[in-house]
Amino acid sequence: MAREQTRAEVRRERILEAALAVFARRGYREAAMDEIAVESDTSKGGVYFHFPNKQAIFLALLDRMAALLMARAEAAIAAETDPLAKIDAALRVVLDTFADHRSLARLFLVDALGAGREFNAKMMEIHRAFAGLIARHLDEGIRRGDFPPIDSRVAGLALFGAINEVVTDWLLDPDPPPLERAYPALRALLRRSVGMPAE
Amino acid sequence: MAREQTRAEVRRERILEAALAVFARRGYREAAMDEIAVESDTSKGGVYFHFPNKQAIFLALLDRMAALLMARAEAAIAAETDPLAKIDAALRVVLDTFADHRSLARLFLVDALGAGREFNAKMMEIHRAFAGLIARHLDEGIRRGDFPPIDSRVAGLALFGAINEVVTDWLLDPDPPPLERAYPALRALLRRSVGMPAE
Amino acid sequence: MAREQTRAEVRRERILEAALAVFARRGYREAAMDEIAVESDTSKGGVYFHFPNKQAIFLALLDRMAALLMARAEAAIAAETDPLAKIDAALRVVLDTFADHRSLARLFLVDALGAGREFNAKMMEIHRAFAGLIARHLDEGIRRGDFPPIDSRVAGLALFGAINEVVTDWLLDPDPPPLERAYPALRALLRRSVGMPAE
Amino acid sequence: MAREQTRAEVRRERILEAALAVFARRGYREAAMDEIAVESDTSKGGVYFHFPNKQAIFLALLDRMAALLMARAEAAIAAETDPLAKIDAALRVVLDTFADHRSLARLFLVDALGAGREFNAKMMEIHRAFAGLIARHLDEGIRRGDFPPIDSRVAGLALFGAINEVVTDWLLDPDPPPLERAYPALRALLRRSVGMPAE
DNA sequence: GATGAATGAGCATTCATTCAT
DNA sequence: AATGAATGAATGCTCATTCAT
């Protein structure tokens, strides 16, 4: 039976939350453990009791955010049956999630990539997870004859990258237009790229 | 007639070269000015005589690399007349250039993004320059009736992002397959995305 | 009852002591944080844990020395009732204190002034505190009819400056005569300047 | 016959002027040779051709300013016959000169003292020159029976210091009242200190 | 479990001075 | 005489990590 969270778990959670805020505010390199400790209402030693080092905290956050986004995308996809509707749904979820959490998205898409080579492996894993999700649905569409055949690994990456870039551009723009505005064009492009009519 | 480079220009060049090597080896944050000085066979003070700070060196390199890549792509495009051939040519140039300079590409596509928020503006500028190049040719194709209409700004970003992601995946892979292998699928996808047949 | 000093307080004290020695030996600008750390048997980081920067250490020392000197002067003054005796007592304390701590006096009277414009405000504050002390007693003497009236603010500064200069001359002299030797003349001058007979 | 200044002399002069401006603006330590070079419309190498090092420039300026001030004071004194009038005249000259050249006075009275121990000897020399000037006139007054006897060396220092402090206080005050306002009180004090009536 | 203190390697930058041309 | 380049020692400060209590 799931007991109440132990005190340790609560503390751990508080640290993660604080770290997310600090990383989002400062970026990975600029974030100081001191600040995370203060923001989580703990001592520096306390933080190190729960996490072996700074990297581990960041990694934990990456994992958690990736899992969340994946789960949302999967759910949205599962709720639809039509392959085109699935594409639409997933795209919408991703765009909405990022639009709602700008600084988080920035951390995830921009800072994490260059946070240091130690993160490269993890980032590859995450990117591949998303690209793989797309690829799996492509494969299924291809199998069912909805889409013409294509190297789904590369295609998955490419489609993921296409969305990524549009979001990233929006992230780096100091005075960005609403992200939704990119939706129709992106949708048309993605559809056509898999052999469907834009509309 | 262009006179020989002055001593200062030669030195400046040597510093940039050395910096490129060091940045590629270590990433931006890990690169030490000391190492750049040693590698360029200069003193630290000498480096600072030619560049005001570390950032400026990195920025100079980014600019230079972006210009080079843009020029190559433009040239390849200009050499073709058929819109589809233009796409092929540009894609090929980009893939080939990155494939030939892996660590440079890594610096450019991966490290630079997260090098610190001071670089975000410059990165946006560079990404937009490439996306804009694609967008211009899309617009022309649309105007000539080759492609169906689309929001070319978003499409340019998306296509740039698609290529980017494929290259980035290859960069982060510690044991990557040849990058050319991705070419056919990427080509098919790009073609279809602008309303052309895959073949 | 005052508990024993905490470990932190002890360490802080040790750093201040070491800093005083180093500043006195080298002057403010030449003093290196490294040296202070070594001399206080701490690490550089340790010093920075207790003080935010070099300036703060120097400021703390200035404050402390000023307070000490002021307290001694006040005590000596309080121990006398006759206004002339008060002047004598204060003058004696100041001269004795400086004579006993030559390098400290040098730091205080010579180096601190030119340590950088950041210290100007603090130095003005300290000088004014001493001049103010003198001015207060002048005012009282004037009120009691012991001295003829005068602008006590200016007079306080002037008298402080007079003592200052005699001490400073002694400080800058590489082979100085005993400072006490200046006492009789200084005493006569100060007395006369406030309208009292030299003897 | 004094030929026109050689080009070298002109250049030397320009450097001194520029240096004065820079030192007055930044203080000794903060002043960079680079800035002096630029401000004197020369190259750094050029500056070093005319002066062996930074110290030498500062020393030259100190000498020149001290000589100027001394000369003015001597002239003012020589123009009077009455000893009291001489005191008044000299005091007035000093106060006026400093009031007219605030940043220069700051350099001279504040920064120079703490510019580094290398300047201590020179500063002692300068201070003693002024104190000596006062002492000489005191001695003459004593010899003529105008003033009661006193140790004129100490008295000279003290009187110089008194003026100094009043000026210094005015210099360090970010929002100072006119310096002349201190004149009457200072005058009364100085007169009394040498045994003369305040008025 | 938690804390405050302590550590120390690491680093960008400054600047007086030198010197080949 | 003059210049622009080059030098390199010097230094304040940061920060992830450790550890005694």
Side-chain angles (χ1 to χ4, degrees):
Chain A
M1 265 230 99
R3 202 173 39 66
E4 298 304 312
Q5 279 192 315
T6 63
R7 193 150 54 96
E9 280 161 348
V10 172
R11 179 63 60 102
R12 208 187 122 94
E13 210 52 42
R14 221 162 60 212
I15 292 170
L16 279 175
E17 260 172 61
L20 178 55
V22 174
F23 284 136
R25 188 158 62 238
R26 301 243 186 272
Y28 179 71
R29 302 307 281 239
E30 303 295 320
M33 292 297 272
D34 256 313
E35 209 175 344
I36 295 175
V38 168
E39 187 127 347
S40 63
D41 230 12
T42 322
S43 63
K44 239 199 294 199
V47 175
Y48 275 91
F49 180 81
H50 291 284
F51 296 91
N53 51 42
K54 190 176 168 182
Q55 241 181 78
I57 302 179
F58 195 60
L59 247 29
L61 284 173
L62 283 186
D63 271 336
R64 174 175 292 203
M65 295 186 325
L68 174 76
L69 203 57
M70 284 279 285
R72 283 199 192 183
E74 300 260 31
I77 288 170
E80 305 285 340
T81 51
D82 180 56
L84 283 185
K86 282 174 189 285
I87 291 181
D88 272 11
L91 175 59
R92 193 135 238 168
V93 160
V94 169
L95 254 39
D96 285 354
T97 302
F98 283 142
D100 285 352
H101 305 282
R102 195 158 193 261
S103 66
L104 193 152
R106 182 180 187 136
L107 186 66
F108 193 57
L109 294 182
V110 178
D111 299 297
L113 249 195
R117 267 112 204 244
E118 319 96 37
F119 293 105
N120 281 182
K122 171 61 71 176
M123 289 312 293
M124 188 165 93
E125 189 186 302
I126 292 178
H127 279 221
R128 283 191 173 173
F130 280 96
L133 169 65
I134 298 174
R136 273 197 307 283
H137 288 283
L138 277 180
D139 277 335
E140 198 192 316
I142 292 166
R143 193 177 44 74
R144 298 193 349 190
D146 294 328
F147 311 143
I150 196 172
D151 176 338
S152 68
R153 192 192 69 91
V154 172
L157 284 169
L159 296 184
F160 175 60
I163 300 169
N164 233 359
E165 182 68 26
V166 172
V167 176
T168 301
D169 182 80
W170 170 81
L171 285 173
L172 296 186
D173 195 330
D175 181 25
L179 183 51
E180 311 94 77
R181 203 168 293 168
Y183 175 68
L186 202 44
R187 181 164 165 268
L189 202 83
L190 297 186
R191 282 177 170 229
R192 283 212 291 252
S193 73
V194 296
M196 296 285 102
E199 181 35 27
Chain B
M1 269 245 92
R3 198 169 50 62
E4 297 304 312
Q5 280 192 315
T6 64
R7 188 159 50 105
E9 279 161 349
V10 170
R11 180 61 60 104
R12 205 188 126 94
E13 211 53 43
R14 218 160 66 210
I15 292 169
L16 279 176
E17 259 172 62
L20 179 55
V22 175
F23 283 138
R25 185 156 66 238
R26 300 244 187 270
Y28 179 72
R29 301 304 280 243
E30 302 296 320
M33 292 297 273
D34 259 310
E35 207 175 345
I36 295 176
V38 169
E39 186 125 348
S40 62
D41 226 14
T42 322
S43 60
K44 235 195 301 197
V47 175
Y48 276 94
F49 181 79
H50 290 284
F51 297 91
N53 52 42
K54 191 177 168 182
Q55 237 183 83
I57 302 181
F58 195 61
L59 247 29
L61 285 174
L62 282 186
D63 272 335
R64 172 174 292 204
M65 294 186 327
L68 174 76
L69 203 59
M70 283 278 286
R72 284 200 191 181
E74 300 258 31
I77 287 170
E80 305 286 340
T81 52
D82 180 55
L84 283 185
K86 282 176 189 283
I87 292 179
D88 272 10
L91 176 59
R92 192 139 238 165
V93 159
V94 169
L95 255 38
D96 284 356
T97 302
F98 283 141
D100 285 352
H101 305 280
R102 195 158 194 263
S103 67
L104 192 151
R106 183 183 188 132
L107 185 66
F108 193 56
L109 294 182
V110 178
D111 299 298
L113 253 192
R117 266 110 203 245
E118 319 98 42
F119 292 107
N120 281 181
K122 171 60 70 176
M123 288 313 294
M124 186 165 97
E125 190 186 301
I126 292 178
H127 279 221
R128 283 190 172 174
F130 280 97
L133 169 65
I134 298 174
R136 274 197 305 284
H137 288 285
L138 276 181
D139 277 334
E140 199 192 316
I142 292 166
R143 192 178 43 73
R144 298 192 348 190
D146 293 328
F147 310 142
I150 197 173
D151 176 339
S152 68
R153 191 191 71 90
V154 173
L157 284 169
L159 296 184
F160 175 60
I163 300 169
N164 232 357
E165 183 68 25
V166 172
V167 176
T168 300
D169 182 80
W170 170 79
L171 285 172
L172 296 186
D173 194 333
D175 180 26
L179 183 52
E180 311 95 80
R181 200 166 298 165
Y183 174 69
L186 203 44
R187 179 164 167 269
L189 202 83
L190 296 185
R191 283 179 168 229
R192 283 212 292 251
S193 73
V194 295
M196 297 284 103
E199 183 37 29
Chain C
M1 269 249 88
R3 200 170 47 62
E4 298 304 311
Q5 281 191 316
T6 63
R7 188 158 50 106
E9 280 161 347
V10 171
R11 181 60 61 103
R12 206 188 126 94
E13 210 53 42
R14 219 161 64 212
I15 292 170
L16 280 176
E17 260 171 60
L20 178 55
V22 175
F23 283 138
R25 185 157 67 238
R26 300 243 188 270
Y28 179 72
R29 301 306 279 241
E30 301 297 319
M33 292 297 274
D34 261 310
E35 208 175 345
I36 294 175
V38 169
E39 186 126 347
S40 62
D41 226 15
T42 322
S43 60
K44 234 196 300 199
V47 175
Y48 276 94
F49 180 79
H50 290 284
F51 297 91
N53 52 42
K54 191 177 168 182
Q55 237 183 84
I57 302 180
F58 196 60
L59 247 28
L61 284 174
L62 283 186
D63 272 335
R64 173 175 291 205
M65 296 186 324
L68 174 77
L69 204 57
M70 284 278 286
R72 283 199 192 183
E74 300 258 31
I77 287 170
E80 306 285 340
T81 52
D82 180 57
L84 284 185
K86 280 173 190 285
I87 292 182
D88 273 12
L91 175 58
R92 193 137 240 166
V93 160
V94 169
L95 291 186
D96 285 355
T97 303
F98 283 142
D100 285 352
H101 305 280
R102 195 159 193 261
S103 66
L104 190 152
R106 183 181 187 135
L107 185 66
F108 192 56
L109 294 182
V110 178
D111 300 297
L113 253 194
R117 266 112 204 242
E118 320 99 40
F119 294 106
N120 282 181
K122 172 60 71 177
M123 289 313 293
M124 186 165 97
E125 189 186 302
I126 292 178
H127 279 220
R128 283 191 172 174
F130 280 97
L133 169 65
I134 298 173
R136 273 196 306 283
H137 289 284
L138 276 180
D139 277 334
E140 199 191 315
I142 292 166
R143 192 177 44 72
R144 299 194 345 190
D146 294 328
F147 311 142
I150 197 172
D151 177 338
S152 68
R153 192 191 70 90
V154 173
L157 284 168
L159 296 184
F160 175 61
I163 301 169
N164 232 359
E165 182 70 24
V166 172
V167 177
T168 301
D169 182 80
W170 170 78
L171 286 173
L172 297 185
D173 194 332
D175 181 25
L179 183 52
E180 310 95 79
R181 202 168 294 167
Y183 174 68
L186 203 44
R187 180 165 165 268
L189 204 83
L190 297 186
R191 282 178 170 228
R192 283 212 291 253
S193 72
V194 295
M196 295 285 103
E199 183 37 27
Chain D
M1 264 243 92
R3 200 172 44 64
E4 296 303 313
Q5 280 192 315
T6 63
R7 191 152 54 98
E9 280 161 348
V10 171
R11 179 61 61 104
R12 206 188 123 93
E13 210 52 43
R14 221 162 60 210
I15 291 170
L16 279 176
E17 258 172 61
L20 178 55
V22 175
F23 284 136
R25 188 158 61 238
R26 299 242 189 272
Y28 179 72
R29 303 304 282 239
E30 302 296 319
M33 292 297 272
D34 256 311
E35 209 175 345
I36 295 175
V38 168
E39 187 127 347
S40 62
D41 232 11
T42 322
S43 63
K44 238 197 299 199
V47 174
Y48 274 93
F49 180 80
H50 290 284
F51 295 91
N53 51 40
K54 190 177 168 182
Q55 241 182 81
I57 302 180
F58 194 60
L59 248 28
L61 284 174
L62 282 186
D63 272 336
R64 173 175 291 204
M65 295 187 325
L68 174 75
L69 203 57
M70 284 279 285
R72 283 200 193 182
E74 299 258 31
I77 287 170
E80 306 285 340
T81 51
D82 180 54
L84 284 185
K86 282 176 189 284
I87 292 181
D88 271 10
L91 175 59
R92 193 138 238 165
V93 160
V94 169
L95 254 40
D96 285 355
T97 302
F98 283 141
D100 285 353
H101 305 281
R102 195 158 195 263
S103 66
L104 192 151
R106 184 184 187 130
L107 185 66
F108 193 57
L109 294 182
V110 178
D111 300 298
L113 251 193
R117 267 107 204 248
E118 319 95 40
F119 293 107
N120 282 182
K122 171 60 71 177
M123 288 313 293
M124 187 165 94
E125 189 187 302
I126 292 178
H127 279 221
R128 284 190 173 174
F130 279 96
L133 169 64
I134 298 174
R136 274 197 307 284
H137 289 284
L138 276 180
D139 276 335
E140 199 192 317
I142 292 167
R143 194 180 40 75
R144 298 192 349 189
D146 292 329
F147 310 142
I150 196 173
D151 177 338
S152 67
R153 191 191 71 90
V154 172
L157 284 168
L159 296 184
F160 175 59
I163 300 169
N164 234 357
E165 183 68 25
V166 172
V167 177
T168 300
D169 182 79
W170 170 81
L171 285 172
L172 296 187
D173 194 331
D175 181 24
L179 184 51
E180 312 95 80
R181 200 166 297 169
Y183 175 69
L186 203 45
R187 180 165 165 268
L189 203 84
L190 297 185
R191 283 182 169 224
R192 283 212 292 251
S193 73
V194 296
M196 296 284 104
E199 186 35 32

